[in-house]
Amino acid sequence: MSGRVLVGVKRVIDYAVKIRVKPDNTGVVTDGVKHSMNPFCEIAVEEAVKLKEKKLVKEVVAVSCGPQQSQETIRTALAMGADRGIHVEVSGNDYETLGPLQVSKIMAALAKKEDAQIIILGKQAIDDDCNQTGQMTAALLDWPQGTFASEVTLDGDKIKVVREIDGGLETIKINTPAVLTADLRLNTPRYATLPNIMKAKKKKIANVKPADLGVNLTSKLEVLRVEDPPQRQAGMKVETVEDLVGKLKELGKV
Amino acid sequence: MSALFKARKVLAVCLHGSRSLSQLAELPETHQLLRQTCRDFADRELAPIAAMLDKEHVYPAKQIKELGTMGVMAMEVPEELGGAGMDYLAYSLAMEEISRGCASTGVVVSVNNSLYIGPILKFGTEEQKKQWISPFTAGDKVGCFALSEPGNGSDAGAASTTAYQEGEEWVLNGTKAWITNSWDASATVVFATTDKKLKHKGISAFLIPMPYPGLSLGKKEDKLGIRASSTANIILEDCRIPLNNMLGPRGAGFKIAMQTLDSGRIGIAAQALGIAQASLDCAADYAHKRTAFGAPIGKLQAIQFKLADMAVAIESARLLTWKASLLRDAKKAFTKEAAMAKLAASEAATFCSHQAIQILGGMGYVTDMPAERHYRDARITEIYEGTSEIQRLVIAGQILKEYQS
């Protein structure tokens, strides 16, 4: 057992920024806009670092796929306590079309190369809300998956995962190696301490190209159009329940 | 051979010089990461509660503890003593971002770092550093700095608090006024006259734990701004402390105070920058959203001129603050630059917060928007740690020295 955890961290537009659609409707404005680590990825990093502090795993490796700026996201993970980073360089058109399928192929290849025992990802990214990368990675590796995790407990060579599902909470026990995806209530991510920010400077970030991992980034998806959601319309006031039902029938809702 | 050495020296000076200059234009990566971390903390943990802290005069104990865990409460202190081991540029950046979220929290951080830990780090013995600094790095204990008295603020040399030796103890008597952190502190640096005849050369510095017999606190002042930080008198009545509670040599108190305030000024300049920046953020956001005369008010030149003037005031004060920090980090003389930074930043804070209310109009006058709190918080930055008038005297003194023929 390598005791190695791979954590995926994605650079996304900061959650507090007001998103604006590009005038040509091909996407959203990203130039000059504040970016940060996807909040669910922060939770994933925190969980991995916690496992290391409890001495249940030996090494935490932060991985990010993207352009040069993705290195900042990896540095933040290092400042939170990850041991080293891997930056998979993807830029230009490849980056525009980078999606869960491509990233999961990269994660699977890295998991084999790094002999990872656990992969922890955020349950979804706040820009595309796909909620697919974890599941696809597990499928490609034929590993068990514990998704929407709100509690993770290592038990020998198994992991007990409490999952948040529509009906409530589901507890499962899976073998390692495994893929976990972090949900909101898994933990509260720490702020990097100043000494750790200084130490992060000395930690290594390796540069890797997708081709080196034998991964083909071609996407079969094409974004046709990006639009603002419809403007919120004014409502209507009615006097009685009969009026309400009548209006709903009129609008074809009932 | 010697030409080669000379060339290397020149290159080293150039590189160091250009490193300092380029740091003004673009911060090193660690400092950028630090700045972002402090900004995230301020946005998520301080800004949402700042109005409540101000309204109810609540000391932000939980947030100070978290800042302690991050290392922000003892930034310059070496790691062996429990600090973050960072430079003053990092401290300025952290102070600005924290104060941008909550100015009161900023002053608690600043007093602990610059005014309490600062002099002990510089003038204390190894034993004193372990006893009086290490427990004050994690955010559960903070210190304060007692120099001003009811009878003298700017006239620091006229300290009427006395200390006389009796056996193996110092006995202190007197009253100190306007002491920040007093009600929340676990120790204080106090200045008292040990030899009245020597005037300001007869003042010495002492360390007193809090609470302590013979030391009591006056009522908490009800202030215009920075209300989450406690300000009160410290009253000393036959307060007996061990001989080795003296900080630095006998008679060095005035020098210690002045040097400590030099550095403290950089921290307060950064606090003022944070308040000024928060005002600009508030005003610029409002200018986008508020419409009048058929368009967002940001389209009106009157508003644009205000925003431009605010931004210039902040950016110039910021560069002065960074320069003062870089000089201090390079162990060069920085008294003039620190005074300039504090003067520029505090005047920028009062100017920007005033203009922000003006831009917000009626909305700026009510507590629904933070503009009124920034206005109240900004005012003190022109007064404490050296009034704007004192800063001008310090700067003029330095300039006249430079031009002495």
Side-chain angles (χ1 to χ4, degrees):
Chain A
M1 273 299 158
S2 69
R4 189 169 290 125
V5 180
L6 234 56
V7 183
V9 294
K10 186 179 181 186
R11 179 174 181 265
V12 299
I13 296 180
D14 187 84
Y15 75 91
V17 169
K18 186 161 191 275
I19 309 290
R20 284 179 298 133
V21 175
K22 278 198 241 181
D24 60 6
N25 292 103
T26 56
V28 300
V29 177
T30 54
D31 268 344
V33 171
K34 181 178 175 200
H35 283 66
S36 16
M37 189 190 292
N38 180 40
F40 294 105
C41 297
E42 281 182 13
I43 300 176
V45 174
E46 175 66 24
E47 197 61 21
V49 173
K50 271 203 166 98
L51 289 174
K52 197 182 100 160
E53 285 171 345
K54 288 188 209 153
K55 299 210 198 305
L56 295 170
V57 299
K58 289 204 202 85
E59 195 188 26
V60 176
V61 184
V63 178
S64 193
C65 307
Q68 223 9 51
Q69 296 95 317
S70 294
Q71 293 206 8
E72 289 162 22
T73 316
I74 300 176
R75 282 253 176 258
T76 309
L78 295 175
M80 283 173 73
D83 296 293
R84 60 183 166 91
I86 300 176
H87 172 216
V88 182
E89 263 185 75
V90 180
S91 50
N93 203 49
D94 282 338
Y95 182 58
E96 301 288 314
T97 58
L98 190 71
L101 183 58
Q102 292 73 29
V103 174
S104 53
K105 285 180 185 172
I106 294 172
M107 290 303 296
L110 279 173
K112 291 201 189 108
K113 183 163 179 268
E114 298 286 334
D115 187 25
Q117 190 185 343
I118 306 174
I119 299 177
I120 312 182
L121 304 171
K123 72 169 179 182
Q124 66 197 61
I126 59 171
D127 50 9
D128 53 24
D129 282 334
C130 283
N131 181 6
Q132 296 172 340
T133 310
Q135 292 86 337
M136 284 176 169
T137 309
L140 286 169
L141 289 165
D142 197 25
W143 286 7
Q145 55 185 261
T147 54
F148 308 105
S150 67
E151 201 184 302
V152 167
T153 321
L154 262 57
D155 187 8
D157 59 353
K158 296 200 198 299
I159 309 180
K160 187 181 93 171
V161 184
V162 177
R163 307 179 56 229
E164 299 213 2
I165 60 173
D166 289 345
L169 297 174
E170 177 192 58
T171 307
I172 60 172
K173 204 171 221 174
I174 55 179
N175 294 322
T176 52
V179 175
L180 306 171
T181 71
D183 208 323
L184 191 62
R185 279 158 283 273
L186 179 57
N187 59 51
T188 308
R190 66 194 61 193
Y191 289 98
T193 66
L194 272 43
N196 279 340
I197 291 176
M198 293 295 285
K199 287 192 194 121
K201 207 165 111 173
K202 301 194 191 101
K203 294 180 184 173
K204 288 201 178 4
I205 300 179
N207 272 312
V208 175
K209 292 201 178 47
D212 299 339
L213 300 168
V215 170
N216 182 345
L217 292 177
T218 340
S219 170
K220 292 194 185 143
L221 299 173
E222 185 194 332
V223 171
L224 297 176
R225 192 176 161 81
V226 177
E227 286 177 359
D228 276 306
Q231 290 274 39
R232 195 189 154 110
Q233 299 295 326
M236 266 182 271
K237 264 190 171 159
V238 293
E239 296 294 310
T240 66
V241 175
E242 287 79 23
D243 282 349
L244 176 61
V245 175
K247 271 270 172 325
L248 288 172
K249 281 191 174 151
E250 235 177 82
L251 293 167
K253 302 285 185 192
V254 182
Chain B
M1 227 0 178
S2 75
L4 203 65
F5 274 122
K6 273 196 193 146
R8 273 170 58 187
K9 263 196 175 169
V10 169
L11 191 65
V13 167
C14 282
L15 279 176
H16 179 83
S18 68
R19 223 194 307 145
S20 314
L21 276 176
S22 66
Q23 277 179 346
L24 284 177
E26 199 189 339
L27 298 166
E29 211 191 322
T30 32
H31 290 69
Q32 283 183 38
L33 189 47
L34 156 68
R35 193 184 197 190
Q36 193 55 52
T37 304
C38 289
R39 184 172 296 190
D40 287 342
F41 183 85
D43 284 343
R44 297 177 199 172
E45 311 290 336
L46 296 175
I49 60 169
M52 181 276 290
L53 293 176
D54 167 75
K55 187 164 181 201
E56 297 171 27
H57 302 236
V58 174
Y59 174 75
K62 175 165 175 272
Q63 289 71 25
I64 292 294
K65 180 84 191 81
E66 280 167 7
L67 287 167
T69 310
M70 285 163 71
V72 173
M73 295 306 286
M75 288 192 69
E76 209 192 5
V77 175
E79 282 191 64
E80 315 85 77
L81 288 170
M86 298 199 85
D87 56 27
Y88 240 61
L89 179 62
Y91 172 56
S92 310
L93 295 166
M95 271 301 302
E96 184 185 335
E97 297 304 329
I98 301 292
S99 303
R100 187 178 178 187
C102 173
S104 303
T105 309
V107 79
V108 174
V109 173
S110 178
V111 167
N112 198 56
N113 269 284
S114 297
L115 299 188
Y116 172 70
I117 290 179
I120 307 173
L121 199 56
K122 191 157 182 203
F123 297 97
T125 62
E126 288 313 307
E127 228 357 270
Q128 282 175 330
K129 287 183 203 173
K130 280 202 206 91
Q131 189 188 344
W132 300 91
I133 294 183
S134 298
F136 290 77
T137 57
D140 42 15
K141 289 189 183 188
V142 297
C144 57
F145 177 86
L147 175 66
S148 290
E149 298 175 352
N152 55 269
S154 296
D155 191 9
S160 66
T161 304
T162 55
Y164 65 85
Q165 191 177 339
E166 199 171 75
E168 297 299 304
E169 292 175 326
W170 285 107
V171 185
L172 277 75
N173 279 286
T175 309
K176 293 295 185 181
W178 313 122
I179 309 308
T180 304
N181 285 354
S182 42
W183 275 82
D184 309 291
S186 301
T188 179
V189 176
V190 182
F191 296 86
T193 300
T194 37
D195 300 281
K196 202 164 168 95
K197 282 192 223 81
L198 299 174
K199 302 222 184 127
H200 68 267
K201 292 213 174 105
I203 299 174
S204 307
F206 300 89
L207 297 161
I208 311 181
M210 290 163 78
Y212 195 77
L215 187 152
S216 56
L217 296 172
K219 74 167 188 0
K220 261 195 230 188
E221 303 292 351
D222 186 12
K223 307 189 293 288
L224 178 66
I226 56 159
R227 303 210 286 207
S229 117
S230 58
T231 308
N233 285 4
I234 289 182
I235 302 138
L236 300 161
E237 291 168 297
D238 275 354
C239 183
R240 292 168 179 276
I241 53 176
L243 284 182
N244 57 13
N245 277 35
M246 177 176 274
L247 177 67
R250 181 172 178 151
F254 189 76
K255 185 184 86 164
I256 293 174
M258 292 304 109
Q259 286 190 22
T260 301
L261 287 169
D262 267 353
S263 297
R265 265 156 212 171
I266 298 177
I268 295 303
Q271 183 203 21
L273 285 176
I275 299 171
Q277 187 64 51
S279 305
L280 178 57
D281 293 344
C282 181
D285 184 64
Y286 195 76
H288 267 306
K289 294 182 175 149
R290 169 73 176 177
T291 52
F293 302 101
I297 60 173
K299 297 271 180 200
L300 300 166
Q301 284 188 340
I303 302 295
Q304 290 180 358
F305 289 164
K306 287 185 197 298
L307 293 172
D309 289 339
M310 287 161 80
V312 170
I314 297 174
E315 197 59 37
S316 6
R318 183 177 288 136
L319 288 173
L320 271 171
T321 309
W322 289 5
K323 184 170 181 186
S325 307
L326 287 168
L327 285 169
R328 187 187 185 281
D329 288 335
K331 301 209 192 307
K332 297 211 161 82
F334 66 97
T335 301
K336 182 180 77 166
E337 287 76 7
M340 290 169 117
K342 202 260 186 188
L343 179 61
S346 53
E347 294 192 344
T350 44
F351 172 72
C352 290
S353 55
H354 182 113
Q355 292 304 324
I357 293 187
Q358 201 63 16
I359 291 173
L360 265 60
M363 274 316 280
Y365 204 62
V366 295
T367 54
D368 302 56
M369 294 292 272
E372 58 83 27
R373 189 182 77 245
H374 299 323
Y375 185 73
R376 292 185 287 105
D377 285 341
R379 198 57 193 84
I380 190 65
T381 61
E382 286 199 54
I383 298 172
Y384 62 15
E385 290 201 39
T387 59
S388 296
E389 290 70 30
I390 291 291
Q391 304 304 335
R392 287 183 164 89
L393 292 181
V394 170
I395 297 166
Q398 293 290 320
I399 293 173
L400 289 167
K401 232 194 275 178
E402 285 166 25
Y403 280 84
Q404 218 155 32
S405 46

